[in-house]
Amino acid sequence: MTGMPEDYKALAHAVEDLYDHIADVRTGDKEATETVESAIDLLDRGVVRVAEIDGSGSVVVHEWLKKAILLLFRLRAIETIEVGPFEYADRLPLKHGLAAAGVRVVPGASARWGSFLAPGVVLMPSYVNIGAYVGEQTMVDTWATVASCAQIGARVHLSGGVGIGGVLEPPNAVPVVVEDDAFVGSRCMIVEGARVGQGAVVGAGTIVSPSIPVIDVETGEELSRGTIPPWSVAVSGSRRREFPGGEFFLPCVLIIKRMKEGERHDKITLNAVLREHGVST
Ligand SMILES: CC(C)(COP(=O)(O)OP(=O)(O)OC[C@H]1O[C@@H](n2cnc3c(N)ncnc32)[C@H](O)[C@@H]1OP(=O)(O)O)[C@@H](O)C(=O)NCCC(=O)NCCS
């Protein structure tokens, strides 16, 4: 799906108009709430998404959907939500109809209304925020967080404790994108609009951000920051830097291997087996 489906042009314009006067938008405005909530409902059902990769491989952001999310927070009041002995106070409900959507959500996991979970997604106790898109058969493992508007592909494994950063403002900012078949190791942080290419393996504990250099160890070449090339294996490294106060080491990302397109890393195969049987790692 690229561009905006024709049917939603009028809705997009209505959202843009509201956003142009966001300072005047008040909680409880019925007409504005109806407009904005119909946009969020489209996100919730995966009919539209905040960002996607176009035919040329670039990430295209549909700003009107981010604007709808920002408006939603102004329009909705805090409500009390009670679940057994637990009480919450929030502006947004959680997703509903999970079994019908073909997803498995383990107790302790939360996915907010306006996020999309494709069929076959498994959420271990983890968090998926509004505007996020999680593709088919993807595993979001324990304590992983998929922040607002992040775009996660199909058959991805986000290991335990992974932090996928959210990018809501400004509306044209590119969200984090993890492409199909990628594996993100435990406790990685993928932030500030970083992109993990298709089939890439990111070793445990790696920080991927546009501020941190990515270096190919075979060639020594510095690659595009914040981007892990498709079908590569990346781990966390460090580089020496001289400062007036002395010599220190700053983090970098090292591309230690290139795999063939479609190749699965042998250490990741075990995880695929565990996932098929619904066991978290
Ligand atoms: C990246 C990973 C897949 C290893 O890939 P690999 O291609 O087999 O790489 P190797 O094990 O041959 O390691 C290559 C070099 O990178 C280093 N390295 C491996 N993983 C690393 C990591 N996460 N961070 C920093 N360095 C790492 C190794 O020490 C090795 O250096 P050496 O040859 O001097 O010892 C693996 O280490 C990893 O992080 N797996 C994810 C684990 C995980 O999070 N699982 C989730 C559920 S438990």
Side-chain angles (χ1 to χ4, degrees):
M1 179 176 51
T2 49
M4 187 200 324
E6 280 298 316
D7 303 355
Y8 306 120
K9 281 215 162 130
L11 180 60
H13 285 136
V15 169
E16 297 272 8
D17 284 349
L18 282 170
Y19 190 81
D20 287 344
H21 307 102
I22 192 166
D24 305 325
V25 172
R26 300 268 173 271
T27 305
D29 178 332
K30 263 195 165 166
E31 207 178 312
T33 304
E34 221 165 80
T35 302
V36 167
E37 290 196 353
S38 43
I40 305 298
D41 180 60
L42 293 174
L43 282 172
D44 193 69
R45 291 188 286 123
V47 178
V48 294
R49 54 196 285 184
V50 166
E52 55 201 318
I53 298 168
D54 71 7
S56 71
S58 309
V59 179
V60 181
V61 181
H62 301 304
E63 290 181 35
W64 69 281
L65 290 163
K66 278 182 154 193
K67 289 175 179 173
I69 294 171
L70 292 167
L71 283 160
L72 185 72
F73 284 104
R74 287 189 77 96
L75 286 163
R76 288 187 69 110
I78 299 272
E79 284 174 13
T80 296
I81 306 166
E82 286 183 357
V83 189
F86 297 100
E87 181 187 294
Y88 303 93
D90 193 17
R91 294 180 198 281
L92 301 188
L94 297 176
K95 281 185 82 66
H96 283 97
L98 301 172
V103 299
R104 194 156 70 87
V105 176
V106 172
S110 300
R112 257 176 154 183
W113 177 57
S115 61
F116 176 68
L117 306 176
V121 164
V122 177
L123 298 191
M124 297 308 288
S126 56
Y127 190 73
V128 179
N129 208 342
I130 188 168
Y133 182 103
V134 184
E136 281 184 23
Q137 307 290 328
T138 283
M139 158 72 92
V140 182
D141 223 324
T142 303
W143 306 138
T145 50
V146 181
S148 50
C149 301
Q151 304 291 303
I152 312 297
R155 301 170 301 280
V156 168
H157 189 126
L158 301 180
S159 305
V162 162
I164 302 290
V167 180
L168 203 48
E169 284 183 285
N172 64 353
V174 175
V176 170
V177 175
V178 178
E179 295 182 40
D180 296 349
D181 302 300
F183 174 94
V184 183
S186 294
R187 310 278 163 186
C188 284
M189 285 182 258
I190 318 287
V191 295
E192 289 178 72
R195 182 166 168 184
V196 175
Q198 186 178 3
V201 172
V202 187
T206 306
I207 304 174
V208 185
S209 129
S211 316
I212 297 177
V214 177
I215 299 161
D216 185 320
V217 298
E218 286 296 321
T219 61
E221 188 192 351
E222 191 178 327
L223 310 175
S224 169
R225 290 185 178 208
T227 301
I228 305 299
W231 309 107
S232 67
V233 179
V235 298
S236 167
S238 58
R239 64 200 167 97
R240 198 170 36 225
R241 277 284 311 272
E242 299 273 354
F243 292 90
E247 190 178 85
F248 300 97
F249 289 82
L250 289 176
C252 64
V253 177
L254 300 176
I255 304 300
I256 56 167
K257 276 179 200 168
R258 302 280 186 161
M259 297 178 290
K260 287 195 214 83
E261 196 177 323
E263 185 181 343
R264 306 300 289 179
H265 193 287
D266 50 1
K267 288 191 184 161
I268 305 312
T269 318
L270 171 66
N271 285 293
V273 171
L274 294 175
R275 180 168 42 169
E276 268 158 35
H277 296 277
V279 180
S280 83
T281 52

